[in-house]
Amino acid sequence: MERTLAIIKPDAVKKRVIGKIIQRIEDEGFEILAMKMLHLTKEEAKQFYYVHKDKPFYESLTDFMSSGRIVVLLLERENAIKHWREVMGATDPAQAKPGTLRRLYGFSVERNAVHGSDSPQTAEWEIQFFFK
Ligand code: IDP
Ligand code: MG
């Protein structure tokens, strides 16, 4: 069993698709171990996305991620990290495969509906960030 961190981003919350995304999470065989809704401050968003601090989209991304409520979920499943990233689809919704969450609900490469950890080390850090 493996754990990963998922986030339903502000665009998806505003779009009222929290329920659809959580249904998909359960249909994909994930156990939801913890879940909460919160509104990140700009400072918290900058900490969470610290690895991207030198990217040109860092300011805009952290503005977006602190622009409204998010839902954070601690998920468990076999192969959870890789499987959740498959269910999310490519970062850019336009490149994501049909049926993936980003293709279904994403709006742009920035406003792409969901987040998922990308490695066991990142997952551990991200889970601690929200659920310590
Ligand atoms: P990931 O979420 O698929 O792992 P990352 O490269 O880790 O993608 O980027 C983190 C987040 O930053 C993305 O989910 C997206 O919201 C945003 N992002 C990534 N690339 C761009 C870009 O080129 N322009 C604007 N925002 C971006
Ligand atoms: Mg990433």
Side-chain angles (χ1 to χ4, degrees), residues 54-67:
D54 297 324
K55 303 271 173 62
F57 56 81
Y58 183 60
E59 273 305 315
S60 173
L61 170 64
T62 52
D63 278 345
F64 162 57
M65 287 301 291
S66 58
S67 69

Side-chain angles (χ1 to χ4, degrees), residues 41-109:
T41 63
K42 170 79 173 172
E43 204 45 50
E44 289 166 338
K46 286 173 80 172
Q47 285 165 24
F48 183 74
Y49 280 112
Y50 186 74
V51 299
H52 294 306
K53 67 179 165 42
D54 297 324
K55 303 271 173 62
F57 56 81
Y58 183 60
E59 273 305 315
S60 173
L61 170 64
T62 52
D63 278 345
F64 162 57
M65 287 301 291
S66 58
S67 69
R69 282 167 289 123
I70 61 173
V71 178
V72 188
L73 304 104
L74 173 49
L75 306 181
E76 185 173 75
R77 210 198 92 122
E78 231 172 71
N79 223 349
I81 295 169
K82 182 158 176 281
H83 192 77
W84 176 240
R85 290 193 67 92
E86 279 167 14
V87 173
M88 288 199 300
T91 307
D92 182 354
Q95 310 293 325
K97 289 188 188 135
T100 60
L101 291 172
R102 283 169 163 173
R103 180 67 170 264
L104 286 167
Y105 306 123
F107 172 74
S108 67
V109 66

Side-chain angles (χ1 to χ4, degrees), residues 14 17-18 54 69 89 95 109 111 117 125 127-128 131:
K14 288 200 178 84
V17 291
I18 294 171
D54 297 324
R69 282 167 289 123
Q95 310 293 325
V109 66
R111 298 174 186 233
S117 309
W125 185 87
I127 290 165
Q128 282 300 314
F131 299 105

